[in-house]
Each structure stands twice: as structure tokens, then as C-alpha cells.
């Protein structure tokens, strides 16, 4: 579904994968997985966020696939992965483990990048055996580990119970998003992107988000509302870089700063002036560059030492 409703031209049009496969999670949930780039190249695994799909990573995939093996998958209920009645941080971790085991050879390591709920997926999986076996380094983009609704600044008023209640109502709405209209673009841009975001960026994000079924959007909103992965941050002991936009209303910079302070091996916090929540779309070159830096610093070094 996401591929049908994504843009079909420009830098955010999803590139064709080298191959596709289905990973089966611990509870039997089936996950759509795409593999791009040459076999045998350094591996990168991409986990998208709430209401998104593999199409969200189009710019990163197109660039990295020239000399990396890029694995992208649809979170359950998103894109081409069927919905499941089981939705929790545990299932997010199960799903990432399933993807890693389905796409990487025993002992092979990758850089794992997660945006928003994808970053939360990484935190949820941080103590898992397969994650530890297959992860050399991590990039966390526009994400947080707890208190997401209370910290959000989508509602422009003072922090407190009223703002939290209103934010919960907005993010957890059951209302259909409908077609991508000029008004829908303006609303999405306000809530999720920086004020300077170019129209083609807004269009790409709007099509992806509007493709997410409303039941899926609503179900996962409850998981995010109750999120508490602070323990997962403390267990994420691989080299980890953190990126956030200063205009992010969904996971504001205070969330990224808390992550950077709590991570056992934070390699740096990058705050992008004027950028909103959709960092891989709004700042594609920077996000891709961070992934390349982590691959160069950690996957190649491991390969040389084990040779």
C-alpha cells in the first residue's frame, strides 16, 4: 500500500529492491523486507517510525545502496506488513530480531538506524541476543524513550495535564486522514516538519503517512503513549549517534539530550537547526552521512581485526 501511495518521481520515490523476502516474527507475524545494493557489501538495517513505511528511507536507500547492502522493512501493520493484534514494544523487538536473523549471516554485523518508533524499536531490542550479535553501531533519529506525550509540543501551550490530554487526543485520533489535500499538507507540516521544509518533502511524507491504516495508527498510538524504554537505553551499549531537529514537535530536543546523557556509548548528539521530526527526509544527506560514518568507523574496523 505504501508503495502505491508514495511519490513516484524525485529523490523520495522508493527505489526498486534487489530482492524482497518475508521475515517471520516470534508470534508468526509476517514482515515485508527489502534488500538493496550488492551482496557482500557492509550492511545497514533501517527501521522506520509510526505511520511510515520503507518508502520513508528512499533517499538513504538510493545513496547507500551504491556500496552498502541496505535492509529496510515495514513495521507490522505498516506498508506491506499485515496488521497484527499484538502491538507492543516487545513485538517491535521481536520483529527487528526476525529481520536481522533473516537477512544477516551468523556473526555478521550491521549499522542499525531507527527513526522515531524505529529508534524505540532499537531500544526495545537492545538486550536481545540477536540484536547484540548483529549490531555494530546505531543511529537514533528523532526519537525518545519515555514521556513522549507529555514532552510533545504539538499543542502550542504550556506543559501540563491539559496539554498532555489534548496531545493524547490528537495523536490517538481514530479519524481517517483522507486524501492528501493542501490543508492536509499544511497540518502534517506543522505537526511533523520544520517550517522551511520544501514542498516536495512535505508531499513525500504526507503520502506515506496517509497510506497508514487508521486502525494501525490508533493502535500504535497507545503503545507510544505508554512507552517506557529508559532501561533499553541503558542496555544499548554499542556506539550510538543521536540526531534531532530543533523544530521537532513530536520528540523535541529534550528527548534527544536525555538519550545522549543516558547512553553507555554515545558517539555524539547532532541538533539540526530548523529541522522537524522527519529528519531522514528533511536532512537526507546528513542522515545518510551519519550512517556512512558509523559503517566506516565500526564495521570496517571489526572486519580488519577479525581477518
Amino acid at each position: 500500500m505504501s508503495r502505491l501511495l508514495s511519490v513516484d518521481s524525485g529523490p523520495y520515490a522508493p527505489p526498486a529492491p534487489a530482492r524482497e523476502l518475508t521475515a517471520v516474527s516470534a508470534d508468526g507475524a509476517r514482515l515485508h523486507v527489502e534488500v538493496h545494493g550488492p551482496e557482500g557489501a557492509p550492511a545497514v538495517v533501517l527501521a522506520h517510525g509510526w505511520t511510515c513505511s520503507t518508502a520513508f528511507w528512499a533517499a538513504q536507500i538510493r545513496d547507500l545502496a551504491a556500496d552498502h547492502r541496505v535492509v529496510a522493512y515495514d513495521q507490522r501493520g505498516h506498508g506491506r506488513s499485515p496488521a497484527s493484534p499484538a502491538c507492543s514494544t516487545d513485538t517491535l523487538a521481536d520483529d527487528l530480531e526476525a529481520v536481522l536473523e533473516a537477512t544477516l549471516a551468523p556473526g555478521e554485523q550491521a549499522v542499525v538506524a531507527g527513526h522515531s518508533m524505529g529508534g524505540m524499536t532499537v531500544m526495545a531490542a537492545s538486550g536481545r541476543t540477536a540484536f547484540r550479535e548483529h549490531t555494530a553501531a546505531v543511529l537514533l533519529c528523532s526519537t525518545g524513550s519515555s514521556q513522549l506525550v507529555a514532552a510533545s509540543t504539538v499543542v502550542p501551550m504550556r506543559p501540563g495535564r491539559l496539554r498532555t490530554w489534548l496531545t493524547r487526543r490528537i495523536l490517538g485520533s481514530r479519524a481517517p486522514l483522507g486524501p492528501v489535500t493542501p490543508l492536509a499538507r499544511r497540518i502534517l507540516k506543522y505537526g511533523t516538519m520544520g517550517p522551511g521544509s520544501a514542498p516536495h518533502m512535505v508531499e513525500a511524507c504526507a503520502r506515506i503517512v496517509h497510506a497508514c491504516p487508521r486502525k494501525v495508527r490508533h493502535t500504535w498510538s497507545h503503545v507510544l503513549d505508554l512507552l517506557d524504554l529508559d532501561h533499553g537505553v541503558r542496555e544499548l551499549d554499542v556506539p550510538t549517534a543521536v540526531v534531532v531537529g530543533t523544530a521537532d514537535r513530536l520528540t523535541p530536543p529534550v528527548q534527544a539530550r536525555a538519550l545522549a546523557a543516558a547512553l553507555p556509548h554515545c558517539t555524539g548528539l547532532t541538533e539540526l537547526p530548523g529541522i522537524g521530526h522527519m529528519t531522514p527526509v528533511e536532512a537526507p544527506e546528513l542522515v545518510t552521512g551519519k550512517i556512512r560514518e558509523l559503517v566506516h568507523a565500526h564495521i570496517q574496523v571489526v572486519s580488519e581485526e577479525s581477518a
Side-chain angles (χ1 to χ4, degrees):
M1 185 175 183
S2 63
R3 190 169 293 279
L4 294 174
L5 295 181
S6 60
V7 294
D8 57 10
S9 63
Y12 302 112
R19 61 187 177 97
E20 298 174 312
L21 64 140
T22 299
V24 181
S25 195
D27 65 351
R30 299 172 67 82
L31 305 165
H32 172 73
V33 183
E34 299 179 0
V35 182
H36 301 255
E39 294 294 329
V44 173
V45 177
L46 305 175
H48 70 75
W50 178 51
T51 73
C52 292
S53 67
T54 58
F56 187 77
W57 294 106
Q60 284 69 44
I61 292 170
R62 182 171 286 104
D63 188 312
L64 291 168
D67 51 359
H68 294 73
R69 182 159 50 91
V70 184
V71 175
Y73 71 101
D74 286 324
Q75 303 270 20
R76 62 175 66 197
H78 296 72
R80 288 196 264 176
S81 293
S84 166
C87 294
S88 67
T89 54
D90 282 338
T91 59
L92 289 175
D94 289 342
D95 294 352
L96 178 55
E97 279 200 300
V99 171
L100 294 173
E101 292 177 328
T103 57
L104 302 179
E108 182 183 10
Q109 293 198 311
V111 168
V112 180
H115 171 260
S116 193
M117 192 174 80
M120 299 161 202
T121 302
V122 170
M123 299 174 218
S126 61
R128 300 290 189 91
T129 299
F131 181 86
R132 289 178 175 270
E133 177 187 355
H134 290 297
T135 304
V138 162
L139 176 64
L140 297 177
C141 295
S142 312
T143 192
S145 59
S146 63
Q147 300 295 316
L148 298 183
V149 175
S152 170
T153 59
V154 168
V155 178
M157 59 188 299
R158 285 184 176 183
R161 287 185 295 177
L162 179 57
R163 189 181 79 172
T164 299
W165 182 83
L166 290 170
T167 304
R168 184 175 290 118
R169 296 278 293 184
I170 292 169
L171 299 183
S173 171
R174 294 177 182 269
L177 295 182
V180 178
T181 63
L183 176 60
R185 293 187 196 95
R186 288 197 294 272
I187 292 172
L188 179 127
K189 181 177 179 179
Y190 168 80
T192 69
M193 306 182 78
S197 298
H200 69 292
M201 296 177 178
V202 178
E203 181 70 22
C205 288
R207 291 196 181 213
I208 293 168
V209 170
H210 279 240
C212 182
R214 62 173 172 171
K215 287 184 179 179
V216 171
R217 187 181 79 241
H218 176 73
T219 299
W220 280 109
S221 73
H222 285 294
V223 176
L224 301 181
D225 183 13
L226 301 174
L227 190 82
D228 185 355
L229 290 171
D230 293 346
H231 64 285
V233 180
R234 294 189 292 269
E235 293 182 20
L236 187 55
D237 56 4
V238 297
T240 302
V242 181
V243 171
V244 68
T246 62
D248 189 338
R249 299 178 189 273
L250 289 176
T251 52
V254 64
Q255 294 273 6
R257 293 168 195 152
L259 290 176
L263 284 164
H265 191 174
C266 181
T267 63
L269 166 61
T270 303
E271 298 189 25
L272 304 175
I275 299 297
H277 185 67
M278 303 303 211
T279 41
V281 172
E282 296 179 72
E285 294 87 1
L286 183 136
V287 170
T288 302
K290 291 293 181 183
I291 294 172
R292 285 186 174 276
E293 288 174 12
L294 291 168
V295 170
H296 180 75
H298 302 289
I299 291 186
Q300 291 183 5
V301 169
V302 171
S303 298
E304 292 167 3
E305 290 175 352
S306 60

